[in-house]
Amino acid sequence: YAASYCTGLLCARRLLQKVGLDDVYEGNDEVDGNIVSTTVGKTTYYVDEVDEDKRPFRALLDVGCKTTSTGCRIFGALKGAADGGLDVPHSEKRFPGYDRDSKEYDADMHRERIFGGHVGEYMEYLEEEDNTKYQQQFASYLADDVEADGLEELYEGVHEKIREDPSPSDKKGFSPDKSFKRKVKKTLEERKADVQVKKDAKNAELEESDDDE
């Protein structure tokens, strides 16, 4: 979920940079899980403030065939895009922390998901219960000295770097292997000859088996 949030944030900042709105709509850099919205006239915009000259860039979430269950990672990407400055219509009903029965929303629980708190809890649990599995499952984390209590700081750093420079990195040059040569396509006569050779071989095999009997 935390990674999906970062993806949404990156998409928003990169898009706004391309259309020249990144300085006008900086988004919500105080991640608290709450929904930010502003009403101008009869229209609700899901940004902190609406500029007089430039309206925010509106985007609609297309879930495709994805199951839209509460807490699904796709809504993490939505929240990241909204916090990144895009005007994405949404509510809290599918975010982690929303209770359908009481119709109450716990923004702190959502914030914890955004910063990988649930992953940290699982890391601590697994380290105590099954250290071998912990070493295997979180090998890449351990190799980079990332521990359960350091995930929030890690994701804060990722958010800062995305906001500093969301532009894509330079593409690596691609040089194809020119030594490869595609086989020359056989003519119709050559293909018929190959089929005939296979038939003759099969007939000879059948005749030999009949002679043995």
Side-chain angles (χ1 to χ4, degrees):
Y1 193 92
S4 298
Y5 177 91
C6 293
T7 302
L9 178 64
L10 177 60
C11 289
R13 298 311 302 162
R14 185 173 292 178
L15 172 61
L16 293 177
Q17 185 185 60
K18 284 185 177 181
V19 297
L21 292 174
D22 54 325
D23 292 332
V24 180
Y25 295 100
E26 297 181 352
N28 177 29
D29 56 0
E30 295 182 5
V31 183
D32 54 10
N34 288 311
I35 294 177
V36 177
S37 64
T38 304
T39 301
V40 178
K42 295 182 179 180
T43 306
T44 300
Y45 299 94
Y46 292 84
V47 293
D48 189 22
E49 293 182 2
V50 177
D51 187 75
E52 293 182 359
D53 300 324
K54 298 179 179 179
R55 288 287 187 260
F57 192 105
R58 170 150 290 195
L60 302 178
L61 177 66
D62 182 1
V63 299
C65 297
K66 187 69 176 177
T67 303
T68 54
S69 56
T70 302
C72 180
R73 287 177 294 178
I74 198 169
F75 297 113
L78 181 151
K79 180 58 175 168
D83 284 351
L86 289 181
D87 175 23
V88 188
H90 62 284
S91 70
E92 72 278 359
K93 291 184 178 180
R94 288 302 184 190
F95 286 152
Y98 181 77
D99 190 323
R100 292 176 57 186
D101 297 329
S102 63
K103 300 188 183 303
E104 294 180 354
Y105 173 57
D106 185 351
D108 291 334
M109 181 182 292
H110 191 190
R111 182 188 183 280
E112 185 181 5
R113 283 291 184 93
I114 291 173
F115 287 103
H118 58 302
V119 178
E121 290 178 3
Y122 179 64
M123 288 177 69
E124 293 175 347
Y125 164 78
L126 201 61
E127 186 178 12
E128 294 179 3
E129 299 296 326
D130 190 345
N131 192 262
T132 302
K133 187 176 180 180
Y134 168 76
Q135 297 286 341
Q136 294 175 345
Q137 191 162 341
F138 294 99
S140 59
Y141 282 58
L142 299 175
D144 293 331
D145 295 326
V146 177
E147 297 182 354
D149 56 359
L151 287 177
E152 181 169 343
E153 183 179 352
L154 170 67
Y155 284 112
E156 284 178 348
V158 173
H159 298 169
E160 287 179 8
K161 289 183 178 180
I162 289 174
R163 290 183 175 278
E164 285 174 6
D165 184 16
S167 58
S169 57
D170 295 333
K171 292 184 178 180
K172 295 181 180 179
F174 174 72
S175 55
D177 183 8
K178 296 183 179 180
S179 62
F180 174 79
K181 290 185 179 180
R182 190 182 298 275
K183 292 182 179 179
V184 179
K185 188 176 180 180
K186 292 184 178 182
T187 63
L188 178 60
E189 290 74 15
E190 289 174 335
R191 294 199 300 273
K192 285 183 177 181
D194 290 342
V195 172
Q196 189 61 47
V197 169
K198 292 180 180 179
K199 285 182 177 180
D200 294 341
K202 187 64 177 178
N203 290 333
E205 182 182 343
L206 292 173
E207 291 177 1
E208 186 179 349
S209 61
D210 291 339
D211 293 341
D212 293 339
E213 292 177 0

